[in-house]
Amino acid sequence: MSISTVGIIGAGTMGNGIAQACAVSGINVVMVDISDAAVANGIATVAGSLERLLKKEKISAADRDAALARIKGSTSYDDLKSSQLVIEAATENYDLKVKIIKQIDAIVGPDVIIASNTSSISITKLAAVTTRAEKFIGMHFFNPVSMMTLVEIIRGLQTSDATHADVEAMAKKLGKTPITVKNSPGFVVNRILVPMINEAFFVLSEGLATAEDIDAGMKLGCNQPIGPLALADMVGLDVCVAVMDVYLSEFGDSKYRACPLLKEMVAAGRLGRKTGQGVYKY
């Protein structure tokens, strides 16, 4: 299937990042959010990002203008009808995602693929609430979308080979490198990454080293571009706890228990960069 228009639900960080990737690649975008202000903010974020690329001479002024012209903002799900693929990029909340996915399913044609940008919720479970489970798939982009080349393509139990092939081709068209993953909590990257972050908090809580030395050790010893504690601040400490809680619930294995220090910091409202303080002050 040829995908010329992509619908995106959510104009926040992930939604507008995906919109930019599509628009720069010559694909038309309909970006939907609940308010005109949210949509306008999403488009303004894309415009700012493209402006930075222009200043770095990575794109031309004509490319910037053409990409922006391909993005249509809307507050109406009816505008998704022109899409061949709709990507749900809302907050990581199961009930909210189900509500949105059901709305998409009811409005778009039967041949349209629906994808979720979820980082931890079961694709099989989300697919089951639709009338097109074989055309439902996970497309997990990484933040910031403009810089991160990876896309995890997650097959639910019901996902068809044709749907997988179409979405894999779409990811490559965006200049991304897709990896195919079976449905399982956290998929591949976060399944490895978040427990590593959690272990860094255990090391910190046991006083084995300072936060700075833990991060320096992982950067210099494992060639990571950013240390696990600084990364936790970027991701959000509350998000880290939520993901660990999902693993603990789904796997029933105590190795996935969230570190008490991590939970304590969340209780104190120290969620990382977004609150100005997490492990570090910003």
Side-chain angles (χ1 to χ4, degrees), residues 1 80-81 83-86 100-115 123-124 126-137 156-160 163:
M1 179 172 67
L80 298 172
K81 289 178 180 177
S83 308
Q84 292 82 46
L85 166 69
V86 179
I100 288 169
I101 288 163
K102 282 183 174 179
Q103 284 181 265
I104 299 167
D105 189 44
I107 282 174
V108 300
D111 294 331
V112 176
I113 296 169
I114 302 176
I123 296 302
T124 297
L126 291 174
V129 306
T130 74
T131 58
R132 67 188 81 208
E134 75 288 350
K135 287 189 168 292
F136 192 91
I137 199 164
L157 191 64
Q158 317 93 315
T159 308
S160 71
T163 296

PDB file of all heavy atoms in Angstrom, residues 1 80-81 83-86 100-115 123-124 126-137 156-160 163:
ATOM      1  N   MET A   1       0.838  -1.200   0.000  1.00  0.00           N
ATOM      2  CA  MET A   1       0.000   0.000   0.000  1.00  0.00           C
ATOM      3  C   MET A   1       0.875   1.253   0.000  1.00  0.00           C
ATOM      4  O   MET A   1       1.851   1.333   0.748  1.00  0.00           O
ATOM      5  CB  MET A   1      -0.898   0.024   1.250  1.00  0.00           C
ATOM      6  CG  MET A   1      -1.789   1.254   1.328  1.00  0.00           C
ATOM      7  SD  MET A   1      -2.995   1.180   2.659  1.00  0.00           S
ATOM      8  CE  MET A   1      -1.956   1.264   4.091  1.00  0.00           C
ATOM      9  N   LEU A  80      -9.144  12.904   9.387  1.00  0.00           N
ATOM     10  CA  LEU A  80      -8.256  11.743   9.247  1.00  0.00           C
ATOM     11  C   LEU A  80      -8.657  10.855   8.067  1.00  0.00           C
ATOM     12  O   LEU A  80      -7.909   9.951   7.690  1.00  0.00           O
ATOM     13  CB  LEU A  80      -8.278  10.894  10.522  1.00  0.00           C
ATOM     14  CG  LEU A  80      -7.782  11.559  11.812  1.00  0.00           C
ATOM     15  CD1 LEU A  80      -8.057  10.643  13.001  1.00  0.00           C
ATOM     16  CD2 LEU A  80      -6.295  11.885  11.721  1.00  0.00           C
ATOM     17  N   LYS A  81      -9.829  11.109   7.483  1.00  0.00           N
ATOM     18  CA  LYS A  81     -10.368  10.221   6.442  1.00  0.00           C
ATOM     19  C   LYS A  81      -9.487  10.127   5.201  1.00  0.00           C
ATOM     20  O   LYS A  81      -9.580   9.162   4.445  1.00  0.00           O
ATOM     21  CB  LYS A  81     -11.779  10.675   6.061  1.00  0.00           C
ATOM     22  CG  LYS A  81     -12.815  10.408   7.148  1.00  0.00           C
ATOM     23  CD  LYS A  81     -14.190  10.904   6.753  1.00  0.00           C
ATOM     24  CE  LYS A  81     -15.220  10.638   7.856  1.00  0.00           C
ATOM     25  NZ  LYS A  81     -16.556  11.183   7.516  1.00  0.00           N
ATOM     26  N   SER A  83      -6.278   9.806   5.263  1.00  0.00           N
ATOM     27  CA  SER A  83      -5.037   9.108   5.620  1.00  0.00           C
ATOM     28  C   SER A  83      -5.055   7.634   5.221  1.00  0.00           C
ATOM     29  O   SER A  83      -6.105   6.999   5.202  1.00  0.00           O
ATOM     30  CB  SER A  83      -4.803   9.197   7.131  1.00  0.00           C
ATOM     31  OG  SER A  83      -4.885  10.531   7.583  1.00  0.00           O
ATOM     32  N   GLN A  84      -3.872   7.107   4.937  1.00  0.00           N
ATOM     33  CA  GLN A  84      -3.718   5.655   4.735  1.00  0.00           C
ATOM     34  C   GLN A  84      -3.161   4.995   6.006  1.00  0.00           C
ATOM     35  O   GLN A  84      -3.244   3.792   6.185  1.00  0.00           O
ATOM     36  CB  GLN A  84      -2.764   5.368   3.575  1.00  0.00           C
ATOM     37  CG  GLN A  84      -3.297   5.758   2.210  1.00  0.00           C
ATOM     38  CD  GLN A  84      -3.096   7.240   1.925  1.00  0.00           C
ATOM     39  OE1 GLN A  84      -2.023   7.791   2.162  1.00  0.00           O
ATOM     40  NE2 GLN A  84      -4.127   7.890   1.429  1.00  0.00           N
ATOM     41  N   LEU A  85      -2.562   5.832   6.867  1.00  0.00           N
ATOM     42  CA  LEU A  85      -1.998   5.378   8.136  1.00  0.00           C
ATOM     43  C   LEU A  85      -2.291   6.441   9.186  1.00  0.00           C
ATOM     44  O   LEU A  85      -2.098   7.630   8.938  1.00  0.00           O
ATOM     45  CB  LEU A  85      -0.475   5.190   8.003  1.00  0.00           C
ATOM     46  CG  LEU A  85       0.344   5.048   9.296  1.00  0.00           C
ATOM     47  CD1 LEU A  85       0.034   3.727   9.995  1.00  0.00           C
ATOM     48  CD2 LEU A  85       1.844   5.140   8.998  1.00  0.00           C
ATOM     49  N   VAL A  86      -2.779   6.021  10.352  1.00  0.00           N
ATOM     50  CA  VAL A  86      -2.991   6.953  11.468  1.00  0.00           C
ATOM     51  C   VAL A  86      -2.157   6.480  12.644  1.00  0.00           C
ATOM     52  O   VAL A  86      -2.230   5.315  13.047  1.00  0.00           O
ATOM     53  CB  VAL A  86      -4.481   7.040  11.879  1.00  0.00           C
ATOM     54  CG1 VAL A  86      -4.646   8.009  13.059  1.00  0.00           C
ATOM     55  CG2 VAL A  86      -5.341   7.507  10.709  1.00  0.00           C
ATOM     56  N   ILE A 100      -9.055   6.873  22.193  1.00  0.00           N
ATOM     57  CA  ILE A 100      -8.612   7.486  20.937  1.00  0.00           C
ATOM     58  C   ILE A 100      -8.642   6.477  19.796  1.00  0.00           C
ATOM     59  O   ILE A 100      -9.146   6.768  18.700  1.00  0.00           O
ATOM     60  CB  ILE A 100      -7.187   8.060  21.104  1.00  0.00           C
ATOM     61  CG1 ILE A 100      -7.229   9.309  21.991  1.00  0.00           C
ATOM     62  CG2 ILE A 100      -6.562   8.394  19.751  1.00  0.00           C
ATOM     63  CD1 ILE A 100      -5.869   9.803  22.440  1.00  0.00           C
ATOM     64  N   ILE A 101      -8.121   5.285  20.040  1.00  0.00           N
ATOM     65  CA  ILE A 101      -8.049   4.261  18.993  1.00  0.00           C
ATOM     66  C   ILE A 101      -9.443   3.851  18.525  1.00  0.00           C
ATOM     67  O   ILE A 101      -9.675   3.639  17.331  1.00  0.00           O
ATOM     68  CB  ILE A 101      -7.220   3.057  19.491  1.00  0.00           C
ATOM     69  CG1 ILE A 101      -5.735   3.450  19.558  1.00  0.00           C
ATOM     70  CG2 ILE A 101      -7.407   1.830  18.606  1.00  0.00           C
ATOM     71  CD1 ILE A 101      -4.866   2.530  20.396  1.00  0.00           C
ATOM     72  N   LYS A 102     -10.386   3.766  19.453  1.00  0.00           N
ATOM     73  CA  LYS A 102     -11.769   3.448  19.070  1.00  0.00           C
ATOM     74  C   LYS A 102     -12.367   4.547  18.192  1.00  0.00           C
ATOM     75  O   LYS A 102     -13.101   4.263  17.236  1.00  0.00           O
ATOM     76  CB  LYS A 102     -12.634   3.251  20.327  1.00  0.00           C
ATOM     77  CG  LYS A 102     -12.441   1.897  20.996  1.00  0.00           C
ATOM     78  CD  LYS A 102     -13.374   1.754  22.186  1.00  0.00           C
ATOM     79  CE  LYS A 102     -13.305   0.357  22.793  1.00  0.00           C
ATOM     80  NZ  LYS A 102     -14.200   0.227  23.964  1.00  0.00           N
ATOM     81  N   GLN A 103     -12.036   5.806  18.508  1.00  0.00           N
ATOM     82  CA  GLN A 103     -12.524   6.927  17.694  1.00  0.00           C
ATOM     83  C   GLN A 103     -11.934   6.881  16.284  1.00  0.00           C
ATOM     84  O   GLN A 103     -12.653   7.093  15.298  1.00  0.00           O
ATOM     85  CB  GLN A 103     -12.151   8.264  18.352  1.00  0.00           C
ATOM     86  CG  GLN A 103     -13.006   8.639  19.549  1.00  0.00           C
ATOM     87  CD  GLN A 103     -12.604   9.985  20.132  1.00  0.00           C
ATOM     88  OE1 GLN A 103     -11.816  10.056  21.073  1.00  0.00           O
ATOM     89  NE2 GLN A 103     -13.112  11.047  19.562  1.00  0.00           N
ATOM     90  N   ILE A 104     -10.654   6.590  16.192  1.00  0.00           N
ATOM     91  CA  ILE A 104     -10.009   6.478  14.872  1.00  0.00           C
ATOM     92  C   ILE A 104     -10.656   5.347  14.081  1.00  0.00           C
ATOM     93  O   ILE A 104     -11.029   5.506  12.917  1.00  0.00           O
ATOM     94  CB  ILE A 104      -8.494   6.186  15.019  1.00  0.00           C
ATOM     95  CG1 ILE A 104      -7.774   7.303  15.770  1.00  0.00           C
ATOM     96  CG2 ILE A 104      -7.857   5.991  13.635  1.00  0.00           C
ATOM     97  CD1 ILE A 104      -6.362   6.925  16.217  1.00  0.00           C
ATOM     98  N   ASP A 105     -10.805   4.199  14.733  1.00  0.00           N
ATOM     99  CA  ASP A 105     -11.349   2.993  14.107  1.00  0.00           C
ATOM    100  C   ASP A 105     -12.744   3.233  13.525  1.00  0.00           C
ATOM    101  O   ASP A 105     -13.086   2.713  12.460  1.00  0.00           O
ATOM    102  CB  ASP A 105     -11.387   1.873  15.147  1.00  0.00           C
ATOM    103  CG  ASP A 105     -11.738   0.515  14.562  1.00  0.00           C
ATOM    104  OD1 ASP A 105     -11.194   0.187  13.495  1.00  0.00           O
ATOM    105  OD2 ASP A 105     -12.531  -0.208  15.181  1.00  0.00           O
ATOM    106  N   ALA A 106     -13.531   4.048  14.226  1.00  0.00           N
ATOM    107  CA  ALA A 106     -14.909   4.311  13.800  1.00  0.00           C
ATOM    108  C   ALA A 106     -14.993   5.266  12.615  1.00  0.00           C
ATOM    109  O   ALA A 106     -15.991   5.272  11.885  1.00  0.00           O
ATOM    110  CB  ALA A 106     -15.704   4.879  14.969  1.00  0.00           C
ATOM    111  N   ILE A 107     -13.945   6.060  12.397  1.00  0.00           N
ATOM    112  CA  ILE A 107     -14.011   7.121  11.383  1.00  0.00           C
ATOM    113  C   ILE A 107     -13.302   6.780  10.080  1.00  0.00           C
ATOM    114  O   ILE A 107     -13.809   7.072   9.002  1.00  0.00           O
ATOM    115  CB  ILE A 107     -13.463   8.451  11.982  1.00  0.00           C
ATOM    116  CG1 ILE A 107     -14.546   9.073  12.863  1.00  0.00           C
ATOM    117  CG2 ILE A 107     -13.039   9.430  10.903  1.00  0.00           C
ATOM    118  CD1 ILE A 107     -14.123  10.292  13.639  1.00  0.00           C
ATOM    119  N   VAL A 108     -12.125   6.147  10.165  1.00  0.00           N
ATOM    120  CA  VAL A 108     -11.355   5.908   8.928  1.00  0.00           C
ATOM    121  C   VAL A 108     -11.828   4.646   8.210  1.00  0.00           C
ATOM    122  O   VAL A 108     -12.454   3.775   8.805  1.00  0.00           O
ATOM    123  CB  VAL A 108      -9.834   5.824   9.224  1.00  0.00           C
ATOM    124  CG1 VAL A 108      -9.334   7.127   9.842  1.00  0.00           C
ATOM    125  CG2 VAL A 108      -9.494   4.637  10.130  1.00  0.00           C
ATOM    126  N   GLY A 109     -11.508   4.569   6.915  1.00  0.00           N
ATOM    127  CA  GLY A 109     -11.913   3.432   6.098  1.00  0.00           C
ATOM    128  C   GLY A 109     -11.289   2.123   6.569  1.00  0.00           C
ATOM    129  O   GLY A 109     -10.277   2.121   7.283  1.00  0.00           O
ATOM    130  N   PRO A 110     -11.867   0.997   6.155  1.00  0.00           N
ATOM    131  CA  PRO A 110     -11.426  -0.320   6.632  1.00  0.00           C
ATOM    132  C   PRO A 110     -10.016  -0.708   6.211  1.00  0.00           C
ATOM    133  O   PRO A 110      -9.409  -1.582   6.821  1.00  0.00           O
ATOM    134  CB  PRO A 110     -12.457  -1.281   6.023  1.00  0.00           C
ATOM    135  CG  PRO A 110     -13.031  -0.553   4.849  1.00  0.00           C
ATOM    136  CD  PRO A 110     -13.019   0.889   5.221  1.00  0.00           C
ATOM    137  N   ASP A 111      -9.470  -0.056   5.167  1.00  0.00           N
ATOM    138  CA  ASP A 111      -8.126  -0.401   4.692  1.00  0.00           C
ATOM    139  C   ASP A 111      -7.023   0.399   5.394  1.00  0.00           C
ATOM    140  O   ASP A 111      -5.836   0.134   5.186  1.00  0.00           O
ATOM    141  CB  ASP A 111      -8.014  -0.159   3.176  1.00  0.00           C
ATOM    142  CG  ASP A 111      -8.911  -1.107   2.385  1.00  0.00           C
ATOM    143  OD1 ASP A 111      -9.161  -2.225   2.886  1.00  0.00           O
ATOM    144  OD2 ASP A 111      -9.359  -0.730   1.291  1.00  0.00           O
ATOM    145  N   VAL A 112      -7.422   1.363   6.212  1.00  0.00           N
ATOM    146  CA  VAL A 112      -6.440   2.233   6.869  1.00  0.00           C
ATOM    147  C   VAL A 112      -5.743   1.490   8.018  1.00  0.00           C
ATOM    148  O   VAL A 112      -6.385   0.808   8.817  1.00  0.00           O
ATOM    149  CB  VAL A 112      -7.121   3.518   7.404  1.00  0.00           C
ATOM    150  CG1 VAL A 112      -6.125   4.381   8.178  1.00  0.00           C
ATOM    151  CG2 VAL A 112      -7.721   4.302   6.242  1.00  0.00           C
ATOM    152  N   ILE A 113      -4.414   1.630   8.063  1.00  0.00           N
ATOM    153  CA  ILE A 113      -3.623   1.044   9.151  1.00  0.00           C
ATOM    154  C   ILE A 113      -3.640   1.989  10.345  1.00  0.00           C
ATOM    155  O   ILE A 113      -3.510   3.200  10.189  1.00  0.00           O
ATOM    156  CB  ILE A 113      -2.166   0.804   8.697  1.00  0.00           C
ATOM    157  CG1 ILE A 113      -2.122  -0.229   7.571  1.00  0.00           C
ATOM    158  CG2 ILE A 113      -1.295   0.358   9.869  1.00  0.00           C
ATOM    159  CD1 ILE A 113      -0.764  -0.326   6.886  1.00  0.00           C
ATOM    160  N   ILE A 114      -3.801   1.431  11.545  1.00  0.00           N
ATOM    161  CA  ILE A 114      -3.707   2.220  12.772  1.00  0.00           C
ATOM    162  C   ILE A 114      -2.469   1.753  13.535  1.00  0.00           C
ATOM    163  O   ILE A 114      -2.264   0.554  13.729  1.00  0.00           O
ATOM    164  CB  ILE A 114      -4.958   2.072  13.659  1.00  0.00           C
ATOM    165  CG1 ILE A 114      -6.221   2.483  12.893  1.00  0.00           C
ATOM    166  CG2 ILE A 114      -4.817   2.925  14.934  1.00  0.00           C
ATOM    167  CD1 ILE A 114      -7.517   2.271  13.674  1.00  0.00           C
ATOM    168  N   ALA A 115      -1.640   2.720  13.935  1.00  0.00           N
ATOM    169  CA  ALA A 115      -0.425   2.410  14.691  1.00  0.00           C
ATOM    170  C   ALA A 115      -0.432   3.174  16.006  1.00  0.00           C
ATOM    171  O   ALA A 115      -1.006   4.261  16.092  1.00  0.00           O
ATOM    172  CB  ALA A 115       0.813   2.770  13.873  1.00  0.00           C
ATOM    173  N   ILE A 123       0.471  -4.113  22.385  1.00  0.00           N
ATOM    174  CA  ILE A 123      -0.112  -3.896  21.056  1.00  0.00           C
ATOM    175  C   ILE A 123      -1.250  -4.882  20.811  1.00  0.00           C
ATOM    176  O   ILE A 123      -2.281  -4.539  20.233  1.00  0.00           O
ATOM    177  CB  ILE A 123       0.979  -4.021  19.964  1.00  0.00           C
ATOM    178  CG1 ILE A 123       2.037  -2.924  20.131  1.00  0.00           C
ATOM    179  CG2 ILE A 123       0.368  -3.968  18.567  1.00  0.00           C
ATOM    180  CD1 ILE A 123       1.520  -1.503  20.072  1.00  0.00           C
ATOM    181  N   THR A 124      -1.090  -6.121  21.268  1.00  0.00           N
ATOM    182  CA  THR A 124      -2.144  -7.130  21.133  1.00  0.00           C
ATOM    183  C   THR A 124      -3.427  -6.670  21.827  1.00  0.00           C
ATOM    184  O   THR A 124      -4.526  -6.796  21.282  1.00  0.00           O
ATOM    185  CB  THR A 124      -1.664  -8.470  21.734  1.00  0.00           C
ATOM    186  OG1 THR A 124      -0.541  -8.937  20.985  1.00  0.00           O
ATOM    187  CG2 THR A 124      -2.761  -9.515  21.720  1.00  0.00           C
ATOM    188  N   LEU A 126      -4.284  -3.518  22.635  1.00  0.00           N
ATOM    189  CA  LEU A 126      -4.848  -2.341  21.958  1.00  0.00           C
ATOM    190  C   LEU A 126      -5.533  -2.750  20.658  1.00  0.00           C
ATOM    191  O   LEU A 126      -6.604  -2.231  20.321  1.00  0.00           O
ATOM    192  CB  LEU A 126      -3.755  -1.302  21.682  1.00  0.00           C
ATOM    193  CG  LEU A 126      -3.158  -0.583  22.897  1.00  0.00           C
ATOM    194  CD1 LEU A 126      -1.992   0.314  22.474  1.00  0.00           C
ATOM    195  CD2 LEU A 126      -4.219   0.249  23.632  1.00  0.00           C
ATOM    196  N   ALA A 127      -4.932  -3.687  19.922  1.00  0.00           N
ATOM    197  CA  ALA A 127      -5.511  -4.139  18.652  1.00  0.00           C
ATOM    198  C   ALA A 127      -6.898  -4.749  18.861  1.00  0.00           C
ATOM    199  O   ALA A 127      -7.791  -4.605  18.019  1.00  0.00           O
ATOM    200  CB  ALA A 127      -4.580  -5.159  17.994  1.00  0.00           C
ATOM    201  N   ALA A 128      -7.058  -5.407  20.000  1.00  0.00           N
ATOM    202  CA  ALA A 128      -8.313  -6.124  20.283  1.00  0.00           C
ATOM    203  C   ALA A 128      -9.524  -5.206  20.429  1.00  0.00           C
ATOM    204  O   ALA A 128     -10.659  -5.672  20.322  1.00  0.00           O
ATOM    205  CB  ALA A 128      -8.137  -6.977  21.538  1.00  0.00           C
ATOM    206  N   VAL A 129      -9.293  -3.903  20.672  1.00  0.00           N
ATOM    207  CA  VAL A 129     -10.439  -2.982  20.825  1.00  0.00           C
ATOM    208  C   VAL A 129     -10.887  -2.426  19.478  1.00  0.00           C
ATOM    209  O   VAL A 129     -11.862  -1.684  19.397  1.00  0.00           O
ATOM    210  CB  VAL A 129     -10.124  -1.811  21.797  1.00  0.00           C
ATOM    211  CG1 VAL A 129      -9.629  -2.333  23.133  1.00  0.00           C
ATOM    212  CG2 VAL A 129      -9.143  -0.805  21.198  1.00  0.00           C
ATOM    213  N   THR A 130     -10.174  -2.797  18.391  1.00  0.00           N
ATOM    214  CA  THR A 130     -10.522  -2.292  17.061  1.00  0.00           C
ATOM    215  C   THR A 130     -11.295  -3.335  16.259  1.00  0.00           C
ATOM    216  O   THR A 130     -11.386  -4.492  16.664  1.00  0.00           O
ATOM    217  CB  THR A 130      -9.261  -1.912  16.255  1.00  0.00           C
ATOM    218  OG1 THR A 130      -8.606  -3.114  15.812  1.00  0.00           O
ATOM    219  CG2 THR A 130      -8.293  -1.081  17.091  1.00  0.00           C
ATOM    220  N   THR A 131     -11.802  -2.900  15.100  1.00  0.00           N
ATOM    221  CA  THR A 131     -12.474  -3.830  14.178  1.00  0.00           C
ATOM    222  C   THR A 131     -11.495  -4.300  13.099  1.00  0.00           C
ATOM    223  O   THR A 131     -11.887  -4.945  12.139  1.00  0.00           O
ATOM    224  CB  THR A 131     -13.669  -3.145  13.496  1.00  0.00           C
ATOM    225  OG1 THR A 131     -13.190  -1.987  12.788  1.00  0.00           O
ATOM    226  CG2 THR A 131     -14.719  -2.720  14.508  1.00  0.00           C
ATOM    227  N   ARG A 132     -10.222  -3.936  13.254  1.00  0.00           N
ATOM    228  CA  ARG A 132      -9.200  -4.242  12.237  1.00  0.00           C
ATOM    229  C   ARG A 132      -7.894  -4.680  12.901  1.00  0.00           C
ATOM    230  O   ARG A 132      -6.816  -4.140  12.608  1.00  0.00           O
ATOM    231  CB  ARG A 132      -8.963  -3.008  11.353  1.00  0.00           C
ATOM    232  CG  ARG A 132      -8.326  -1.859  12.107  1.00  0.00           C
ATOM    233  CD  ARG A 132      -8.266  -0.580  11.331  1.00  0.00           C
ATOM    234  NE  ARG A 132      -9.551   0.095  11.387  1.00  0.00           N
ATOM    235  CZ  ARG A 132     -10.022   0.902  10.456  1.00  0.00           C
ATOM    236  NH1 ARG A 132      -9.310   1.175   9.409  1.00  0.00           N
ATOM    237  NH2 ARG A 132     -11.202   1.458  10.578  1.00  0.00           N
ATOM    238  N   ALA A 133      -7.977  -5.649  13.807  1.00  0.00           N
ATOM    239  CA  ALA A 133      -6.795  -6.054  14.585  1.00  0.00           C
ATOM    240  C   ALA A 133      -5.608  -6.425  13.700  1.00  0.00           C
ATOM    241  O   ALA A 133      -4.453  -6.192  14.072  1.00  0.00           O
ATOM    242  CB  ALA A 133      -7.150  -7.220  15.502  1.00  0.00           C
ATOM    243  N   GLU A 134      -5.894  -6.974  12.508  1.00  0.00           N
ATOM    244  CA  GLU A 134      -4.797  -7.368  11.606  1.00  0.00           C
ATOM    245  C   GLU A 134      -4.095  -6.150  11.017  1.00  0.00           C
ATOM    246  O   GLU A 134      -2.972  -6.229  10.521  1.00  0.00           O
ATOM    247  CB  GLU A 134      -5.317  -8.291  10.489  1.00  0.00           C
ATOM    248  CG  GLU A 134      -6.110  -7.617   9.392  1.00  0.00           C
ATOM    249  CD  GLU A 134      -7.513  -7.137   9.806  1.00  0.00           C
ATOM    250  OE1 GLU A 134      -7.978  -7.490  10.911  1.00  0.00           O
ATOM    251  OE2 GLU A 134      -8.148  -6.430   8.998  1.00  0.00           O
ATOM    252  N   LYS A 135      -4.773  -4.986  11.066  1.00  0.00           N
ATOM    253  CA  LYS A 135      -4.201  -3.742  10.530  1.00  0.00           C
ATOM    254  C   LYS A 135      -3.751  -2.802  11.651  1.00  0.00           C
ATOM    255  O   LYS A 135      -3.621  -1.603  11.449  1.00  0.00           O
ATOM    256  CB  LYS A 135      -5.218  -3.029   9.626  1.00  0.00           C
ATOM    257  CG  LYS A 135      -5.413  -3.723   8.296  1.00  0.00           C
ATOM    258  CD  LYS A 135      -6.237  -2.888   7.350  1.00  0.00           C
ATOM    259  CE  LYS A 135      -6.180  -3.469   5.943  1.00  0.00           C
ATOM    260  NZ  LYS A 135      -4.849  -3.339   5.326  1.00  0.00           N
ATOM    261  N   PHE A 136      -3.509  -3.361  12.832  1.00  0.00           N
ATOM    262  CA  PHE A 136      -3.030  -2.573  13.964  1.00  0.00           C
ATOM    263  C   PHE A 136      -1.597  -2.992  14.286  1.00  0.00           C
ATOM    264  O   PHE A 136      -1.271  -4.180  14.259  1.00  0.00           O
ATOM    265  CB  PHE A 136      -3.917  -2.788  15.195  1.00  0.00           C
ATOM    266  CG  PHE A 136      -3.655  -1.788  16.295  1.00  0.00           C
ATOM    267  CD1 PHE A 136      -4.366  -0.605  16.349  1.00  0.00           C
ATOM    268  CD2 PHE A 136      -2.675  -2.029  17.253  1.00  0.00           C
ATOM    269  CE1 PHE A 136      -4.107   0.327  17.349  1.00  0.00           C
ATOM    270  CE2 PHE A 136      -2.407  -1.101  18.248  1.00  0.00           C
ATOM    271  CZ  PHE A 136      -3.133   0.078  18.298  1.00  0.00           C
ATOM    272  N   ILE A 137      -0.753  -1.998  14.607  1.00  0.00           N
ATOM    273  CA  ILE A 137       0.672  -2.273  14.809  1.00  0.00           C
ATOM    274  C   ILE A 137       1.271  -1.215  15.741  1.00  0.00           C
ATOM    275  O   ILE A 137       0.679  -0.142  15.938  1.00  0.00           O
ATOM    276  CB  ILE A 137       1.398  -2.285  13.429  1.00  0.00           C
ATOM    277  CG1 ILE A 137       2.740  -3.015  13.499  1.00  0.00           C
ATOM    278  CG2 ILE A 137       1.528  -0.869  12.861  1.00  0.00           C
ATOM    279  CD1 ILE A 137       3.303  -3.380  12.124  1.00  0.00           C
ATOM    280  N   GLY A 156       1.582  -7.134  17.039  1.00  0.00           N
ATOM    281  CA  GLY A 156       0.678  -7.779  17.960  1.00  0.00           C
ATOM    282  C   GLY A 156       0.432  -9.200  17.465  1.00  0.00           C
ATOM    283  O   GLY A 156       0.843  -9.561  16.349  1.00  0.00           O
ATOM    284  N   LEU A 157      -0.243  -9.996  18.264  1.00  0.00           N
ATOM    285  CA  LEU A 157      -0.542 -11.374  17.872  1.00  0.00           C
ATOM    286  C   LEU A 157      -1.338 -11.411  16.564  1.00  0.00           C
ATOM    287  O   LEU A 157      -1.212 -12.325  15.762  1.00  0.00           O
ATOM    288  CB  LEU A 157      -1.342 -12.062  18.997  1.00  0.00           C
ATOM    289  CG  LEU A 157      -1.533 -13.566  18.886  1.00  0.00           C
ATOM    290  CD1 LEU A 157      -0.202 -14.301  18.964  1.00  0.00           C
ATOM    291  CD2 LEU A 157      -2.470 -14.061  19.984  1.00  0.00           C
ATOM    292  N   GLN A 158      -2.154 -10.354  16.336  1.00  0.00           N
ATOM    293  CA  GLN A 158      -3.068 -10.340  15.192  1.00  0.00           C
ATOM    294  C   GLN A 158      -2.513  -9.620  13.958  1.00  0.00           C
ATOM    295  O   GLN A 158      -3.100  -9.681  12.883  1.00  0.00           O
ATOM    296  CB  GLN A 158      -4.383  -9.641  15.597  1.00  0.00           C
ATOM    297  CG  GLN A 158      -4.933 -10.014  16.961  1.00  0.00           C
ATOM    298  CD  GLN A 158      -4.464  -9.052  18.063  1.00  0.00           C
ATOM    299  OE1 GLN A 158      -3.298  -8.700  18.125  1.00  0.00           O
ATOM    300  NE2 GLN A 158      -5.396  -8.623  18.910  1.00  0.00           N
ATOM    301  N   THR A 159      -1.398  -8.884  14.098  1.00  0.00           N
ATOM    302  CA  THR A 159      -0.875  -8.063  13.000  1.00  0.00           C
ATOM    303  C   THR A 159      -0.525  -8.903  11.777  1.00  0.00           C
ATOM    304  O   THR A 159       0.199  -9.893  11.875  1.00  0.00           O
ATOM    305  CB  THR A 159       0.380  -7.291  13.453  1.00  0.00           C
ATOM    306  OG1 THR A 159       0.100  -6.578  14.656  1.00  0.00           O
ATOM    307  CG2 THR A 159       0.832  -6.311  12.384  1.00  0.00           C
ATOM    308  N   SER A 160      -1.027  -8.484  10.606  1.00  0.00           N
ATOM    309  CA  SER A 160      -0.768  -9.243   9.375  1.00  0.00           C
ATOM    310  C   SER A 160       0.610  -8.925   8.803  1.00  0.00           C
ATOM    311  O   SER A 160       1.199  -7.873   9.086  1.00  0.00           O
ATOM    312  CB  SER A 160      -1.835  -8.921   8.321  1.00  0.00           C
ATOM    313  OG  SER A 160      -1.652  -7.600   7.823  1.00  0.00           O
ATOM    314  N   THR A 163       0.515  -5.675   6.747  1.00  0.00           N
ATOM    315  CA  THR A 163       0.566  -4.457   7.578  1.00  0.00           C
ATOM    316  C   THR A 163       1.994  -4.188   8.017  1.00  0.00           C
ATOM    317  O   THR A 163       2.486  -3.062   7.940  1.00  0.00           O
ATOM    318  CB  THR A 163      -0.346  -4.613   8.811  1.00  0.00           C
ATOM    319  OG1 THR A 163      -1.703  -4.747   8.367  1.00  0.00           O
ATOM    320  CG2 THR A 163      -0.241  -3.413   9.744  1.00  0.00           C
TER     321      THR A 163
END
